[in-house]
Amino acid sequence: MRIPNSVKKALSAVFCMVAAIFLAGAGQSAFAQNGTLKVHGTVSCNGEAVIGASVIVNGSTEGTVTDMEGRYAITVSPNAVLTVSAIGYSTEIVEVAGRTVIDVELFEEALNLDDAVVVGYGVQKKVNLTGAVSSVSTEELKGKPIANVLEGLQGTTPGLVIQQGSSTPGGSPSINIRGYNTMNDNNPLVLIDGIEGSLANLNPADIDQISVLKDASSTAIYGSRASNGVILVTTKKGKEGSVEVAYNMTYGMQQATALPTVVDSWVYAELYNEAAVNSGRQVKFSAEQIAGYKNGGTNVKWINELYKEYAPQQSHNVSVTGGNENLSYMGSIGYLGQESLFKGPDFGYDRFNARLNVSHKMSDRLTVSITSSFIRNNIKDHAYWTEWIIEQCNRMPAIYEIKNPDGTYTYPSGSNSNSLERLEKGGYRRSINDDMSGTITAEYKIIDGLKAIVSGGGRILNNQTHENRYASENPLSGDKEDHISESFNRSIKLTANAMLSYDKAFAEKHNFGALIGYSYEGESANNFGTTRVTEDHKYDVLVGTVNGTEELPVSNFGGASDWSLYSGF
């Protein structure tokens, strides 16, 4: 029975947490006091590390996952049996038999060799592939309550690593193929219907197929831009038949599930006193104070106070498909809404998608296809760096209240800010991003097996960010400056391709194919921004506000760039 990917993803998350517990508490010797054994090793396939492989103790829920180097460590009994598995690979059963080092070799699962895979500027059967190429179908994404495609790709393809580095709504996970290749940008090249695009903005319901090109032979046609791999996305097209209207929606609740654990206030006081005694100093907390903490006194976990208990997330998608033997079409609109888990005034993320794909068979020889899409992202977040918000709460002991009884915010000794105040009263940052793209392709059949393909396309990005940070009204606060900034970015990318393709089958068993082409790609971009800072809620557009003899910071910036790339293949 095939386990659904959503279940595998959940299991992997559980295994990661269990592994962290084991690694944090493991002793220095191979044998623990209770007679267990610390086992470690690597999991690989054809000499390459398998990232995220599950290592589970049979007959229990204990387990771990391999790291970026394919390594694992786990504490088990000397006679335990381990099950090692990963999506896209074989499952291996290994007996510990008293060993402390166990390296495991996995094998890639067999492919359906008749399936077609999008590769470069064409399509091939898997049986004919010589490069490292993986294919992801829409079945892998169905039913997943995801905010973007990248989240749905987790665990679907060997060697494809997706890491969620931020819980901010609208945040995009990082993606790399077969590990980190450089100290700088490790992002692969992403092409959506032949146009460079963003997987984070794409509506999952519009996807027909995803191909991941991993090695040099499969990505060579794209040149140096493909040094970190290539992800090719084909969106859905119309089909012959009656009109079909489809609607799907998801609704769910988000919850913070892995917050740091902060000791109770009385435990902190006892440990503080113990540390003071050990260092020859006087204790700070009396027995009465500690008893007061235990009996209903202050015990506030600041990190927990920043988050809502739940935050809703929903998506809605409507699509229309239809056509006849000469004309087919697919149109869709979608909406995604995701509230932030942070407390504050309506922080969250809204995404609107619209797409229209049309194909018209003009004659027996000529077919013209058009793809077009529009995406708008609207993100509202707090006006500070999230690290500033979290860092203070992680080090704040539970002996301090976060708010006074009158509703004002507290500033414990050694602190000149309050994270909750920054969220609720500190202002906001709003970004509105528009992404418009489209292609037109003409395919002309010259003779049997030989066709000419000409295509052109473009993508326009408009990004606007407005930040308004408010100074605190509390004289004890260090947040004394009002800060306002506005920035704009705009880019236009154009592409053009001209190709001759020949594909002929001989004797029903042999195929001959050839492709020759020319490609152009160019982009022009410009940006502008301005920032003002003041302490009296007033801004001077030209020179800033003077505070005594000090002129507060004012800045204006802007820039422009152009590049183009001509290729033959």
Side-chain angles (χ1 to χ4, degrees), residues 183-197:
M183 294 293 291
N184 300 308
D185 185 9
N186 283 278
N187 294 320
L189 175 66
V190 177
L191 298 176
I192 302 172
D193 288 335
I195 296 290
E196 188 172 351

Side-chain angles (χ1 to χ4, degrees), residues 300-566:
V300 179
K301 313 298 176 61
W302 278 46
I303 190 68
N304 296 341
E305 297 299 315
L306 301 184
Y307 293 93
K308 305 172 185 175
E309 186 175 0
Y310 297 99
Q313 174 180 309
Q314 60 181 312
S315 66
H316 304 268
N317 297 283
V318 178
S319 65
V320 180
T321 59
N324 52 42
E325 59 181 354
N326 294 321
L327 178 69
S328 61
Y329 56 87
M330 190 285 293
S332 70
I333 56 174
Y335 166 75
L336 171 72
Q338 183 181 21
E339 285 191 16
S340 174
L341 277 167
F342 274 143
K343 294 179 180 178
D346 63 349
F347 296 148
Y349 171 57
D350 294 295
R351 186 185 69 210
F352 304 89
N353 297 77
R355 177 173 294 275
L356 178 63
N357 295 342
V358 179
S359 180
H360 186 200
K361 186 177 180 181
M362 315 267 311
S363 67
D364 291 340
R365 293 180 178 272
L366 178 63
T367 301
V368 177
S369 301
I370 296 174
T371 67
S372 59
S373 73
F374 172 78
I375 303 165
R376 164 162 286 193
N377 291 323
N378 193 333
I379 305 171
K380 185 178 180 182
D381 199 8
H382 58 83
Y384 291 84
W385 296 105
T386 299
E387 290 83 353
W388 297 0
I389 303 290
I390 298 296
E391 184 270 338
Q392 181 192 44
C393 293
N394 280 340
R395 60 181 173 82
M396 191 63 66
I399 61 174
Y400 299 114
E401 297 284 354
I402 198 169
K403 272 188 174 183
N404 295 309
D406 62 359
T408 58
Y409 300 92
T410 63
Y411 300 89
S413 176
S415 175
N416 64 352
S417 65
N418 184 296
S419 294
L420 185 59
E421 180 185 24
R422 285 178 166 181
L423 288 177
E424 295 182 333
K425 303 292 185 180
Y428 64 91
R429 182 187 303 114
R430 174 178 282 120
S431 297
I432 299 176
N433 308 315
D434 291 335
D435 185 344
M436 296 166 283
S437 64
T439 62
I440 180 169
T441 303
E443 182 178 305
Y444 185 79
K445 181 179 178 182
I446 301 173
I447 59 174
D448 185 27
L450 179 64
K451 58 185 177 182
I453 304 171
V454 178
S455 66
R459 184 187 185 200
I460 301 175
L461 293 176
N462 285 314
N463 304 317
Q464 175 185 355
T465 300
H466 173 79
E467 180 180 303
N468 197 350
R469 186 185 302 170
Y470 306 140
S472 173
E473 300 292 340
N474 193 314
L476 299 177
S477 174
D479 296 332
K480 297 183 180 300
E481 294 180 346
D482 293 298
H483 179 282
I484 190 169
S485 66
E486 195 84 23
S487 63
F488 303 88
N489 297 275
R490 177 182 174 88
S491 66
I492 300 176
K493 179 173 288 186
L494 300 176
T495 63
N497 299 285
M499 295 171 286
L500 281 176
S501 173
Y502 184 76
D503 190 2
K504 188 69 174 178
F506 301 94
E508 298 182 356
K509 294 183 178 180
H510 306 284
N511 289 82
F512 175 79
L515 177 71
I516 184 172
Y518 174 83
S519 174
Y520 161 80
E521 187 170 350
E523 181 181 34
S524 62
N526 57 77
N527 64 84
F528 170 78
T530 183
T531 300
R532 298 289 186 271
V533 177
T534 181
E535 291 184 357
D536 58 5
H537 308 294
K538 298 177 182 178
Y539 298 100
D540 189 314
V541 175
L542 297 179
V543 297
T545 300
V546 176
N547 177 19
T549 60
E550 177 187 4
E551 185 171 304
L552 295 174
V554 173
S555 66
N556 302 302
F557 61 89
S561 63
D562 290 275
W563 63 267
S564 58
L565 179 67
Y566 301 84

Side-chain angles (χ1 to χ4, degrees), residues 10 46 76 108 186 270 286 426 432 499:
N46 297 326
V76 299
E108 289 191 346
N186 283 278
E270 291 170 345
S286 66
I432 299 176
M499 295 171 286

Side-chain angles (χ1 to χ4, degrees), residues 261-268 271 299 301 397-398:
T261 301
V262 180
V263 298
D264 292 316
S265 55
W266 58 90
V267 176
Y268 171 82
L271 293 175
N299 187 32
K301 313 298 176 61

